[in-house]
mmCIF file of all heavy atoms in Angstrom:
data_model
loop_
_atom_site.group_PDB
_atom_site.id
_atom_site.type_symbol
_atom_site.label_atom_id
_atom_site.label_comp_id
_atom_site.label_asym_id
_atom_site.label_seq_id
_atom_site.Cartn_x
_atom_site.Cartn_y
_atom_site.Cartn_z
ATOM 1 N N GLY A 824 -8.790 2.963 12.503
ATOM 2 C CA GLY A 824 -9.355 3.584 13.681
ATOM 3 C C GLY A 824 -9.745 2.532 14.701
ATOM 4 O O GLY A 824 -10.332 1.516 14.317
ATOM 5 N N THR A 825 -9.428 2.734 15.964
ATOM 6 C CA THR A 825 -9.649 1.637 16.949
ATOM 7 C C THR A 825 -10.595 2.045 18.063
ATOM 8 O O THR A 825 -10.546 1.442 19.144
ATOM 9 C CB THR A 825 -8.294 1.132 17.507
ATOM 10 O OG1 THR A 825 -7.719 2.167 18.313
ATOM 11 C CG2 THR A 825 -7.348 0.717 16.430
ATOM 12 N N TRP A 826 -11.442 2.989 17.844
ATOM 13 C CA TRP A 826 -12.495 3.292 18.829
ATOM 14 C C TRP A 826 -13.323 2.032 19.060
ATOM 15 O O TRP A 826 -13.684 1.685 20.189
ATOM 16 C CB TRP A 826 -13.348 4.438 18.276
ATOM 17 C CG TRP A 826 -14.422 4.962 19.156
ATOM 18 C CD1 TRP A 826 -14.656 4.675 20.485
ATOM 19 C CD2 TRP A 826 -15.465 5.915 18.801
ATOM 20 N NE1 TRP A 826 -15.731 5.365 20.954
ATOM 21 C CE2 TRP A 826 -16.240 6.133 19.911
ATOM 22 C CE3 TRP A 826 -15.768 6.590 17.612
ATOM 23 C CZ2 TRP A 826 -17.346 7.020 19.923
ATOM 24 C CZ3 TRP A 826 -16.846 7.453 17.615
ATOM 25 C CH2 TRP A 826 -17.619 7.667 18.746
ATOM 26 N N GLN A 827 -13.643 1.323 17.948
ATOM 27 C CA GLN A 827 -14.436 0.105 18.024
ATOM 28 C C GLN A 827 -13.834 -0.950 18.963
ATOM 29 O O GLN A 827 -14.526 -1.793 19.522
ATOM 30 C CB GLN A 827 -14.574 -0.558 16.620
ATOM 31 C CG GLN A 827 -15.563 0.115 15.698
ATOM 32 C CD GLN A 827 -15.078 1.431 15.120
ATOM 33 O OE1 GLN A 827 -13.982 1.907 15.422
ATOM 34 N NE2 GLN A 827 -15.892 2.065 14.313
ATOM 35 N N TRP A 832 -19.451 0.863 20.391
ATOM 36 C CA TRP A 832 -19.919 0.314 19.093
ATOM 37 C C TRP A 832 -20.465 -1.079 19.296
ATOM 38 O O TRP A 832 -20.309 -1.942 18.396
ATOM 39 C CB TRP A 832 -18.740 0.253 18.099
ATOM 40 C CG TRP A 832 -18.217 1.588 17.671
ATOM 41 C CD1 TRP A 832 -17.333 2.367 18.375
ATOM 42 C CD2 TRP A 832 -18.514 2.322 16.483
ATOM 43 N NE1 TRP A 832 -17.076 3.528 17.673
ATOM 44 C CE2 TRP A 832 -17.765 3.524 16.504
ATOM 45 C CE3 TRP A 832 -19.341 2.064 15.380
ATOM 46 C CZ2 TRP A 832 -17.847 4.466 15.486
ATOM 47 C CZ3 TRP A 832 -19.393 2.995 14.364
ATOM 48 C CH2 TRP A 832 -18.664 4.195 14.417
ATOM 49 N N ASP A 856 -4.940 4.547 15.006
ATOM 50 C CA ASP A 856 -5.416 5.675 15.789
ATOM 51 C C ASP A 856 -6.203 5.151 16.988
ATOM 52 O O ASP A 856 -7.097 4.353 16.830
ATOM 53 C CB ASP A 856 -6.334 6.565 14.939
ATOM 54 C CG ASP A 856 -6.933 7.713 15.772
ATOM 55 O OD1 ASP A 856 -6.175 8.642 16.105
ATOM 56 O OD2 ASP A 856 -8.119 7.646 16.119
ATOM 57 N N TYR A 861 -11.011 5.503 24.867
ATOM 58 C CA TYR A 861 -11.747 4.408 24.210
ATOM 59 C C TYR A 861 -11.757 3.168 25.107
ATOM 60 O O TYR A 861 -10.756 2.510 25.273
ATOM 61 C CB TYR A 861 -11.116 4.055 22.837
ATOM 62 C CG TYR A 861 -11.174 5.148 21.782
ATOM 63 C CD1 TYR A 861 -10.351 5.106 20.659
ATOM 64 C CD2 TYR A 861 -12.048 6.221 21.875
ATOM 65 C CE1 TYR A 861 -10.387 6.096 19.685
ATOM 66 C CE2 TYR A 861 -12.116 7.208 20.913
ATOM 67 C CZ TYR A 861 -11.292 7.153 19.841
ATOM 68 O OH TYR A 861 -11.343 8.126 18.845
ATOM 69 N N LYS A 887 -4.793 9.799 21.800
ATOM 70 C CA LYS A 887 -5.349 11.107 22.101
ATOM 71 C C LYS A 887 -5.522 11.245 23.600
ATOM 72 O O LYS A 887 -5.654 10.234 24.303
ATOM 73 C CB LYS A 887 -6.741 11.308 21.431
ATOM 74 C CG LYS A 887 -6.761 10.956 19.965
ATOM 75 C CD LYS A 887 -8.094 11.328 19.350
ATOM 76 C CE LYS A 887 -8.304 10.536 18.086
ATOM 77 N NZ LYS A 887 -8.752 9.142 18.336
ATOM 78 N N HIS A 926 -7.701 15.763 22.197
ATOM 79 C CA HIS A 926 -8.890 15.027 21.774
ATOM 80 C C HIS A 926 -10.131 15.922 21.769
ATOM 81 O O HIS A 926 -10.929 15.924 22.709
ATOM 82 C CB HIS A 926 -9.125 13.816 22.665
ATOM 83 C CG HIS A 926 -10.048 12.786 22.080
ATOM 84 N ND1 HIS A 926 -10.164 11.529 22.630
ATOM 85 C CD2 HIS A 926 -10.862 12.794 21.024
ATOM 86 C CE1 HIS A 926 -11.055 10.831 21.923
ATOM 87 N NE2 HIS A 926 -11.484 11.607 20.944
ATOM 88 N N CYS A 927 -10.250 16.714 20.722
ATOM 89 C CA CYS A 927 -11.412 17.633 20.599
ATOM 90 C C CYS A 927 -11.661 18.396 21.893
ATOM 91 O O CYS A 927 -12.776 18.330 22.426
ATOM 92 C CB CYS A 927 -12.654 16.872 20.138
ATOM 93 S SG CYS A 927 -12.456 16.100 18.544
ATOM 94 N N SER A 957 -6.976 16.727 17.378
ATOM 95 C CA SER A 957 -8.176 16.235 16.756
ATOM 96 C C SER A 957 -9.228 17.308 16.953
ATOM 97 O O SER A 957 -9.369 17.832 18.073
ATOM 98 C CB SER A 957 -8.600 14.909 17.368
ATOM 99 O OG SER A 957 -9.728 14.396 16.685
ATOM 100 N N GLN A 977 -6.413 15.918 12.932
ATOM 101 C CA GLN A 977 -7.394 14.877 12.651
ATOM 102 C C GLN A 977 -8.777 15.552 12.545
ATOM 103 O O GLN A 977 -9.178 16.278 13.424
ATOM 104 C CB GLN A 977 -7.399 13.801 13.744
ATOM 105 C CG GLN A 977 -8.382 12.703 13.387
ATOM 106 C CD GLN A 977 -8.458 11.557 14.406
ATOM 107 O OE1 GLN A 977 -9.535 11.092 14.713
ATOM 108 N NE2 GLN A 977 -7.309 11.128 14.874
ATOM 109 N N ARG A 1005 -10.880 11.257 9.641
ATOM 110 C CA ARG A 1005 -11.616 10.268 10.428
ATOM 111 C C ARG A 1005 -13.088 10.192 9.974
ATOM 112 O O ARG A 1005 -13.515 11.037 9.230
ATOM 113 C CB ARG A 1005 -11.534 10.602 11.916
ATOM 114 C CG ARG A 1005 -12.423 11.745 12.373
ATOM 115 C CD ARG A 1005 -12.421 11.778 13.925
ATOM 116 N NE ARG A 1005 -13.240 12.847 14.455
ATOM 117 C CZ ARG A 1005 -12.839 14.060 14.713
ATOM 118 N NH1 ARG A 1005 -11.604 14.413 14.438
ATOM 119 N NH2 ARG A 1005 -13.667 14.945 15.229
ATOM 120 N N VAL A 1006 -13.771 9.157 10.484
ATOM 121 C CA VAL A 1006 -15.191 8.894 10.166
ATOM 122 C C VAL A 1006 -15.408 8.902 8.636
ATOM 123 O O VAL A 1006 -16.350 9.485 8.123
ATOM 124 C CB VAL A 1006 -16.107 9.937 10.871
ATOM 125 C CG1 VAL A 1006 -17.551 9.497 10.866
ATOM 126 C CG2 VAL A 1006 -15.671 10.150 12.331
ATOM 127 N N PRO A 1007 -14.566 8.163 7.907
ATOM 128 C CA PRO A 1007 -14.677 8.174 6.464
ATOM 129 C C PRO A 1007 -15.938 7.527 5.913
ATOM 130 O O PRO A 1007 -16.315 7.810 4.764
ATOM 131 C CB PRO A 1007 -13.411 7.394 6.001
ATOM 132 C CG PRO A 1007 -13.112 6.502 7.143
ATOM 133 C CD PRO A 1007 -13.462 7.302 8.373
ATOM 134 N N LEU A 1008 -16.538 6.677 6.747
ATOM 135 C CA LEU A 1008 -17.761 6.010 6.311
ATOM 136 C C LEU A 1008 -19.011 6.619 6.902
ATOM 137 O O LEU A 1008 -20.114 6.060 6.837
ATOM 138 C CB LEU A 1008 -17.677 4.502 6.651
ATOM 139 C CG LEU A 1008 -16.539 3.770 5.957
ATOM 140 C CD1 LEU A 1008 -16.406 2.318 6.482
ATOM 141 C CD2 LEU A 1008 -16.743 3.755 4.442
ATOM 142 N N ALA A 1009 -18.875 7.800 7.484
ATOM 143 C CA ALA A 1009 -19.994 8.442 8.193
ATOM 144 C C ALA A 1009 -20.637 7.449 9.156
ATOM 145 O O ALA A 1009 -21.857 7.198 9.126
ATOM 146 C CB ALA A 1009 -21.012 9.030 7.186
ATOM 147 N N SER A 1010 -19.753 6.847 9.961
ATOM 148 C CA SER A 1010 -20.172 5.834 10.995
ATOM 149 C C SER A 1010 -20.806 4.620 10.347
ATOM 150 O O SER A 1010 -21.628 3.942 11.000
ATOM 151 C CB SER A 1010 -21.110 6.423 12.044
ATOM 152 O OG SER A 1010 -20.639 7.627 12.587
ATOM 153 N N GLY A 1011 -20.449 4.317 9.109
ATOM 154 C CA GLY A 1011 -20.964 3.117 8.470
ATOM 155 C C GLY A 1011 -22.000 3.433 7.398
ATOM 156 O O GLY A 1011 -22.252 2.586 6.518
ATOM 157 N N SER A 1014 -21.290 2.703 3.784
ATOM 158 C CA SER A 1014 -21.178 1.327 3.313
ATOM 159 C C SER A 1014 -22.426 0.987 2.529
ATOM 160 O O SER A 1014 -22.464 -0.055 1.835
ATOM 161 C CB SER A 1014 -21.027 0.341 4.491
ATOM 162 O OG SER A 1014 -22.247 0.261 5.229
ATOM 163 N N ARG A 1016 -25.192 -0.169 3.551
ATOM 164 C CA ARG A 1016 -25.929 -1.407 3.942
ATOM 165 C C ARG A 1016 -26.962 -1.145 5.020
ATOM 166 O O ARG A 1016 -27.580 -2.109 5.478
ATOM 167 C CB ARG A 1016 -24.919 -2.481 4.346
ATOM 168 C CG ARG A 1016 -24.191 -2.203 5.604
ATOM 169 C CD ARG A 1016 -22.976 -3.078 5.751
ATOM 170 N NE ARG A 1016 -22.172 -2.532 6.827
ATOM 171 C CZ ARG A 1016 -22.256 -2.948 8.083
ATOM 172 N NH1 ARG A 1016 -23.052 -3.892 8.418
ATOM 173 N NH2 ARG A 1016 -21.460 -2.365 9.008
ATOM 174 N N TYR A 1017 -27.151 0.086 5.469
ATOM 175 C CA TYR A 1017 -28.208 0.330 6.439
ATOM 176 C C TYR A 1017 -29.516 0.725 5.760
ATOM 177 O O TYR A 1017 -29.460 1.314 4.643
ATOM 178 C CB TYR A 1017 -27.808 1.453 7.422
ATOM 179 C CG TYR A 1017 -26.476 1.239 8.137
ATOM 180 C CD1 TYR A 1017 -25.693 2.355 8.444
ATOM 181 C CD2 TYR A 1017 -26.034 -0.027 8.474
ATOM 182 C CE1 TYR A 1017 -24.476 2.179 9.098
ATOM 183 C CE2 TYR A 1017 -24.826 -0.205 9.101
ATOM 184 C CZ TYR A 1017 -24.032 0.899 9.422
ATOM 185 O OH TYR A 1017 -22.821 0.738 10.056
ATOM 186 N N PHE A 1023 -29.221 -0.323 16.094
ATOM 187 C CA PHE A 1023 -27.875 -0.516 16.632
ATOM 188 C C PHE A 1023 -28.001 -0.872 18.114
ATOM 189 O O PHE A 1023 -29.040 -0.614 18.754
ATOM 190 C CB PHE A 1023 -27.050 0.727 16.438
ATOM 191 C CG PHE A 1023 -26.903 1.118 14.979
ATOM 192 C CD1 PHE A 1023 -27.796 1.981 14.366
ATOM 193 C CD2 PHE A 1023 -25.890 0.544 14.204
ATOM 194 C CE1 PHE A 1023 -27.708 2.261 12.999
ATOM 195 C CE2 PHE A 1023 -25.779 0.852 12.850
ATOM 196 C CZ PHE A 1023 -26.682 1.719 12.245
ATOM 197 N N ARG A 1029 -24.417 5.054 17.952
ATOM 198 C CA ARG A 1029 -25.390 5.313 16.904
ATOM 199 C C ARG A 1029 -26.819 5.141 17.423
ATOM 200 O O ARG A 1029 -27.773 5.520 16.764
ATOM 201 C CB ARG A 1029 -25.089 4.409 15.706
ATOM 202 C CG ARG A 1029 -23.740 4.773 15.076
ATOM 203 C CD ARG A 1029 -23.284 3.748 14.041
ATOM 204 N NE ARG A 1029 -22.969 2.485 14.665
ATOM 205 C CZ ARG A 1029 -22.481 1.440 14.016
ATOM 206 N NH1 ARG A 1029 -22.263 1.531 12.726
ATOM 207 N NH2 ARG A 1029 -22.200 0.325 14.660
ATOM 208 N N GLU A 1042 -20.035 13.538 15.384
ATOM 209 C CA GLU A 1042 -19.269 12.272 15.448
ATOM 210 C C GLU A 1042 -20.133 11.082 15.110
ATOM 211 O O GLU A 1042 -19.612 9.977 14.947
ATOM 212 C CB GLU A 1042 -18.650 12.091 16.834
ATOM 213 C CG GLU A 1042 -17.751 13.193 17.307
ATOM 214 C CD GLU A 1042 -16.465 13.339 16.516
ATOM 215 O OE1 GLU A 1042 -16.178 12.450 15.650
ATOM 216 O OE2 GLU A 1042 -15.744 14.304 16.708
ATOM 217 N N ALA A 1070 -18.171 0.880 0.510
ATOM 218 C CA ALA A 1070 -17.279 1.317 1.618
ATOM 219 C C ALA A 1070 -15.894 1.559 1.050
ATOM 220 O O ALA A 1070 -15.232 2.569 1.362
ATOM 221 C CB ALA A 1070 -17.246 0.273 2.695
ATOM 222 N N ILE A 1087 -8.668 6.799 8.442
ATOM 223 C CA ILE A 1087 -8.698 5.795 9.497
ATOM 224 C C ILE A 1087 -10.073 5.187 9.706
ATOM 225 O O ILE A 1087 -10.716 5.425 10.741
ATOM 226 C CB ILE A 1087 -8.139 6.384 10.832
ATOM 227 C CG1 ILE A 1087 -8.843 7.730 11.144
ATOM 228 C CG2 ILE A 1087 -6.623 6.530 10.747
ATOM 229 C CD1 ILE A 1087 -8.613 8.190 12.623
ATOM 230 N N PRO A 1088 -10.557 4.370 8.781
ATOM 231 C CA PRO A 1088 -11.841 3.714 9.016
ATOM 232 C C PRO A 1088 -11.805 2.852 10.263
ATOM 233 O O PRO A 1088 -10.791 2.196 10.540
ATOM 234 C CB PRO A 1088 -12.045 2.876 7.748
ATOM 235 C CG PRO A 1088 -10.674 2.684 7.175
ATOM 236 C CD PRO A 1088 -9.906 3.897 7.533
ATOM 237 N N GLY A 1089 -12.890 2.839 10.986
ATOM 238 C CA GLY A 1089 -13.011 1.919 12.104
ATOM 239 C C GLY A 1089 -13.508 0.598 11.636
ATOM 240 O O GLY A 1089 -14.289 0.529 10.660
ATOM 241 N N ARG A 1091 -14.899 -3.477 12.893
ATOM 242 C CA ARG A 1091 -15.298 -4.340 14.003
ATOM 243 C C ARG A 1091 -15.005 -5.794 13.738
ATOM 244 O O ARG A 1091 -15.281 -6.660 14.552
ATOM 245 C CB ARG A 1091 -16.776 -4.142 14.316
ATOM 246 C CG ARG A 1091 -17.108 -2.721 14.744
ATOM 247 C CD ARG A 1091 -18.384 -2.675 15.528
ATOM 248 N NE ARG A 1091 -19.428 -3.406 14.870
ATOM 249 C CZ ARG A 1091 -20.349 -4.081 15.528
ATOM 250 N NH1 ARG A 1091 -20.363 -4.120 16.843
ATOM 251 N NH2 ARG A 1091 -21.301 -4.710 14.856
ATOM 252 N N GLN A 1095 -14.054 -6.559 7.667
ATOM 253 C CA GLN A 1095 -14.090 -5.110 7.437
ATOM 254 C C GLN A 1095 -12.681 -4.527 7.367
ATOM 255 O O GLN A 1095 -12.367 -3.716 6.467
ATOM 256 C CB GLN A 1095 -14.843 -4.387 8.583
ATOM 257 C CG GLN A 1095 -16.345 -4.615 8.551
ATOM 258 C CD GLN A 1095 -17.085 -3.876 9.644
ATOM 259 O OE1 GLN A 1095 -16.498 -3.274 10.551
ATOM 260 N NE2 GLN A 1095 -18.423 -3.881 9.577
ATOM 261 N N SER A 1098 -10.999 -5.546 3.996
ATOM 262 C CA SER A 1098 -11.654 -4.884 2.876
ATOM 263 C C SER A 1098 -11.266 -3.381 2.857
ATOM 264 O O SER A 1098 -11.011 -2.800 1.801
ATOM 265 C CB SER A 1098 -13.169 -5.102 3.003
ATOM 266 O OG SER A 1098 -13.816 -4.266 2.106
ATOM 267 N N ASN A 1099 -11.237 -2.766 4.018
ATOM 268 C CA ASN A 1099 -10.912 -1.348 4.066
ATOM 269 C C ASN A 1099 -9.488 -1.067 3.670
ATOM 270 O O ASN A 1099 -9.190 -0.114 2.938
ATOM 271 C CB ASN A 1099 -11.179 -0.800 5.476
ATOM 272 C CG ASN A 1099 -12.659 -0.841 5.845
ATOM 273 O OD1 ASN A 1099 -13.496 -1.032 4.997
ATOM 274 N ND2 ASN A 1099 -12.931 -0.693 7.143
HETATM 275 N N1 LIG B 1340 -12.986 12.864 18.269
HETATM 276 C C1 LIG B 1340 -12.171 12.063 17.643
HETATM 277 O O1 LIG B 1340 -10.973 12.287 17.618
HETATM 278 C C2 LIG B 1340 -12.721 10.833 16.961
HETATM 279 C C3 LIG B 1340 -14.102 10.713 16.809
HETATM 280 C C4 LIG B 1340 -14.618 9.652 16.069
HETATM 281 C C5 LIG B 1340 -13.749 8.713 15.502
HETATM 282 N N2 LIG B 1340 -12.382 8.857 15.704
HETATM 283 C C6 LIG B 1340 -11.436 7.886 15.110
HETATM 284 O O2 LIG B 1340 -11.783 7.675 13.762
HETATM 285 C C7 LIG B 1340 -11.985 6.274 13.536
HETATM 286 C C8 LIG B 1340 -12.982 6.084 12.423
HETATM 287 O O3 LIG B 1340 -14.234 6.749 12.653
HETATM 288 P P1 LIG B 1340 -15.504 5.945 13.094
HETATM 289 O O4 LIG B 1340 -15.106 4.597 13.453
HETATM 290 O O5 LIG B 1340 -16.226 6.808 14.091
HETATM 291 O O6 LIG B 1340 -16.410 5.936 11.781
HETATM 292 P P2 LIG B 1340 -16.304 5.207 10.370
HETATM 293 O O7 LIG B 1340 -14.915 4.708 10.147
HETATM 294 O O8 LIG B 1340 -16.895 6.144 9.404
HETATM 295 O O9 LIG B 1340 -17.331 3.979 10.529
HETATM 296 C C9 LIG B 1340 -16.985 2.789 11.155
HETATM 297 C C10 LIG B 1340 -18.137 1.783 10.984
HETATM 298 O O10 LIG B 1340 -18.344 1.572 9.602
HETATM 299 C C11 LIG B 1340 -18.749 0.218 9.373
HETATM 300 N N3 LIG B 1340 -17.744 -0.401 8.474
HETATM 301 C C12 LIG B 1340 -16.400 -0.344 8.595
HETATM 302 N N4 LIG B 1340 -15.809 -1.039 7.612
HETATM 303 C C13 LIG B 1340 -16.795 -1.546 6.846
HETATM 304 C C14 LIG B 1340 -16.841 -2.311 5.682
HETATM 305 N N5 LIG B 1340 -15.713 -2.725 5.082
HETATM 306 N N6 LIG B 1340 -18.047 -2.664 5.154
HETATM 307 C C15 LIG B 1340 -19.165 -2.258 5.732
HETATM 308 N N7 LIG B 1340 -19.238 -1.498 6.857
HETATM 309 C C16 LIG B 1340 -18.028 -1.132 7.399
HETATM 310 C C17 LIG B 1340 -18.797 -0.460 10.723
HETATM 311 O O11 LIG B 1340 -20.123 -0.398 11.130
HETATM 312 P P3 LIG B 1340 -20.837 -1.577 11.932
HETATM 313 O O12 LIG B 1340 -20.386 -1.320 13.349
HETATM 314 O O13 LIG B 1340 -22.294 -1.317 11.723
HETATM 315 O O14 LIG B 1340 -20.342 -2.890 11.401
HETATM 316 C C18 LIG B 1340 -17.875 0.394 11.513
HETATM 317 O O15 LIG B 1340 -18.157 0.324 12.926
HETATM 318 C C19 LIG B 1340 -12.428 5.743 14.915
HETATM 319 O O16 LIG B 1340 -12.285 4.370 15.043
HETATM 320 C C20 LIG B 1340 -11.487 6.546 15.808
HETATM 321 O O17 LIG B 1340 -10.201 5.923 15.800
HETATM 322 C C21 LIG B 1340 -11.874 9.914 16.403
#
Side-chain angles (χ1 to χ4, degrees):
T825 67
W826 184 9
Q827 282 75 359
W832 294 81
D856 176 74
Y861 295 162
K887 310 188 201 79
H926 197 167
C927 298
S957 184
Q977 182 178 139
R1005 76 170 180 271
V1006 195
L1008 297 173
S1010 310
S1014 71
R1016 68 198 166 93
Y1017 305 147
F1023 300 91
R1029 294 169 293 184
E1042 303 292 353
I1087 49 165
R1091 297 202 312 145
Q1095 287 183 351
S1098 169
N1099 295 346

